[in-house]
């Protein structure tokens, strides 16, 4: 007999869930497992709203399991630790990102790249080996293996640190892997949204010259004066794009809408690298000649492993990097989703879970 979400596990839990493809979230009672020997339990304080949450609740990727409790940018206070957990104690502040499990035996896992495991367990909307479903951070608490919890450095504003668990690691990991860390090099950041604005901050912390590449001239003041970018380039201005040709060492493309790549490749110097972290819903094309004559490369990246996620959090703590956020209550979440769909946020919504969640 199939048990209801409220009866699957011993611990009662409460959150907000979408029940169908309308994506509308409403109060939801479910359950969590008890804290095991290798687990930590967090009282959730804050949870960021990622654009992937919007895709998931509306089943826009075709893999949603309803009811779905989204949320993978979680900051919480540790309320319980397992007997095998030595480096967390009750009262510590910890974060949980996109992953809560993996196979731990494949080459990726053994290389601390759980994000590329062929059997990942996502923080929400994943089936775990016992057949139950994972539920995310739009809820009162969560239980995760110690391996998937990260320490949050002291001094960071906790609500603004929540998006680092997804947006932060999504841009930090390709910067490290593709060598975008050498001071004085020139980085172009395509798109000034939830990912792009964090990329600007991290790029500047690495000592890079950062140019924001955007379709919107209205974002220039915010890019330079608000976020510290060195320059701003309107991608719809052919003359400005021509003037900027062959000037950039790297480009980090955060845009998820379909857009042309050829003009971006033209901005790269010899041996330049264009790295995709956005997820357009249709294939993008590129002329091989634009890569061959310039020995240029196009690559991609998705989040990061747990070791690198901790490294990213420590780096952000050292440089006082957080996301620019709008803090909202849980009962505002459907309005926030609607605004997110229209890109009406600077630059990330974060739910004040502990102060607004009640059943």
């Amino acid at each position: 007999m199939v048990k209801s979400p409220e009866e699957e596990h011993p611990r009662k839990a409460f959150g907000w869930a979408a029940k169908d493809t309308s994506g509308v979230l409403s109060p939801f009672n479910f359950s969590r497992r008890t804290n095991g020997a290798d687990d930590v339990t967090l009282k959730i304080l804050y949870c960021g709203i990622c654009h992937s949450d919007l895709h998931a609740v509306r089943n826009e990727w075709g893999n949603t399991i309803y009811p779905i409790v989204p949320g993978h940018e979680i900051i919480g206070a540790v309320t319980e630790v397992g007997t095998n957990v030595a480096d967390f104690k009750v009262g510590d502040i910890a974060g949980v990102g996109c992953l809560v499990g993996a196979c731990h035996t494949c080459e990726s896992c053994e290389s601390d790249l759980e994000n590329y495991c062929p059997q990942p367990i996502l923080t929400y909307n994943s089936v775990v080996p016992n057949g139950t479903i994972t539920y995310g951070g739009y809820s009162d608490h969560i239980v995760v293996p110690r391996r998937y919890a990260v320490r949050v450095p002291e001094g960071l504003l906790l609500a603004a640190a929540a998006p680092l668990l997804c947006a932060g690691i999504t841009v930090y990991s390709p910067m490290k892997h593709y060598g975008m860390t050498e001071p004085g090099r020139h980085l172009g950041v395509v798109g000034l949204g939830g990912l792009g604005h964090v990329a600007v901050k991290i790029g500047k912390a690495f000592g890079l010259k950062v140019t924001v590449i955007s379709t919107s001239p209205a974002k220039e003041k915010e890019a330079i004066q608000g976020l510290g970018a060195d320059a701003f380039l309107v991608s719809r201005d052919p003359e400005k794009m021509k003037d900027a040709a062959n000037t950039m060492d790297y480009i980090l493309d955060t845009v998820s809408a379909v857009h042309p790549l050829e003009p971006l490749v033209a901005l790269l110097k010899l041996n330049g690298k264009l790295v995709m972290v956005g997820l357009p819903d249709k294939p993008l094309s590129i002329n091989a000649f634009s890569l061959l004559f310039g020995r240029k490369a196009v690559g991609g990246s998705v989040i990061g492993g747990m070791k690198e996620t901790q490294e990213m959090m420590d780096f952000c703590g050292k440089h006082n990097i957080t996301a620019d956020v709008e803090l909202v209550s849980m009962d505002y979440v459907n309005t926030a989703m609607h605004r997110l769909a229209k890109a009406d946020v600077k630059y990330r919504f974060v739910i004040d879970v502990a102060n607004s969640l009640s059943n």
Side-chain angles (χ1 to χ4, degrees):
M1 180 178 177
V2 178
K3 293 184 178 180
S4 70
E6 196 171 0
E7 299 172 331
E8 285 178 332
H9 302 291
R11 287 187 168 179
K12 300 301 180 183
F14 178 71
W16 278 48
K19 316 297 196 320
D20 55 45
T21 56
S22 71
V24 174
L25 293 112
S26 58
F28 176 62
N29 291 294
F30 63 106
S31 56
R32 301 276 194 194
R33 73 175 190 272
T34 55
N35 196 92
D38 298 307
D39 292 335
V40 296
T41 297
L42 307 183
K43 175 187 177 180
I44 298 175
L45 303 176
Y46 302 101
C47 185
I49 299 178
C50 179
H51 211 285
S52 59
D53 298 347
L54 179 63
H55 291 302
V57 298
R58 295 179 177 179
N59 195 29
E60 291 176 350
W61 289 333
N63 64 348
T64 300
I65 306 166
Y66 294 105
I68 179 174
V69 177
H72 58 209
E73 299 177 346
I74 301 166
I75 298 287
V78 176
T79 59
E80 190 174 350
V81 298
T83 55
N84 294 338
V85 177
D87 54 349
F88 275 113
K89 64 181 185 302
V90 172
D92 287 348
I93 301 298
V96 177
C98 303
L99 295 172
V100 294
C103 77
H104 302 157
T105 59
C106 69
E107 183 178 355
S108 293
C109 285
E110 290 178 350
S111 301
D112 296 312
L113 295 170
E114 300 93 340
N115 51 313
Y116 296 113
C117 175
Q119 302 176 57
I121 300 176
L122 303 180
T123 304
Y124 66 85
N125 200 47
S126 269
V127 180
V128 299
N130 67 9
T132 59
I133 309 301
T134 57
Y135 296 113
Y138 295 17
S139 58
D140 56 1
H141 76 281
I142 192 168
V143 185
V144 300
R146 160 63 191 94
R147 180 168 178 161
Y148 295 92
V150 299
R151 296 177 300 279
V152 178
E154 292 185 11
L156 288 181
L157 184 64
L158 297 185
L164 298 178
L165 276 306
C166 178
I169 187 59
T170 295
V171 298
Y172 181 89
S173 183
M175 286 185 185
K176 289 300 295 287
H177 177 73
Y178 289 98
M180 306 178 191
T181 59
E182 187 177 345
R185 295 285 188 174
H186 190 178
L187 169 69
V189 175
V190 185
L192 195 63
L195 294 177
H197 89 287
V198 177
V200 172
K201 295 182 180 185
I202 292 177
K204 291 304 297 179
F206 278 129
L208 300 172
K209 175 184 176 181
V210 178
T211 294
V212 171
I213 305 165
S214 174
T215 60
S216 175
K219 293 185 177 181
E220 180 173 2
K221 181 177 179 180
E222 174 65 16
I224 295 176
Q225 297 182 16
L227 298 171
D230 298 283
F232 187 86
L233 181 60
V234 179
S235 57
R236 289 176 175 168
D237 186 329
E239 288 301 316
K240 296 292 186 182
M241 291 290 285
K242 182 178 179 181
D243 291 343
N246 305 307
T247 64
M248 299 181 188
D249 298 287
Y250 320 105
I251 295 176
L252 194 63
D253 189 341
T254 72
V255 174
S256 290
V258 175
H259 58 287
L261 297 183
E262 294 289 344
L264 301 177
V265 173
L267 299 174
L268 293 171
K269 296 178 181 178
L270 176 68
N271 299 321
K273 300 171 185 176
L274 169 64
V275 181
M276 313 291 297
V277 293
L279 285 170
D281 59 4
K282 295 179 181 178
L284 305 180
S285 63
I286 193 165
N287 189 324
F289 282 91
S290 62
L291 300 179
L292 273 61
F293 291 92
R295 202 163 59 184
K296 301 174 183 180
V298 176
S301 180
V302 59
I303 57 172
M306 297 315 301
K307 181 178 179 180
E308 190 172 53
T309 302
Q310 184 65 67
E311 178 187 308
M312 178 275 305
M313 290 297 291
D314 293 341
F315 180 88
C316 289
K318 178 180 178 181
H319 295 278
N320 195 29
I321 295 171
T322 54
D324 290 9
V325 305
E326 181 177 334
L327 193 62
V328 301
S329 61
M330 186 64 78
D331 60 10
Y332 189 80
V333 68
N334 288 307
T335 301
M337 288 285 192
H338 180 70
R339 287 178 55 193
L340 180 61
K342 299 189 298 180
D344 178 23
V345 58
K346 281 189 176 180
Y347 286 96
R348 209 74 163 185
F349 286 114
V350 173
I351 304 168
D352 187 356
V353 176
N355 289 320
S356 65
L357 190 61
S358 62
N359 58 1

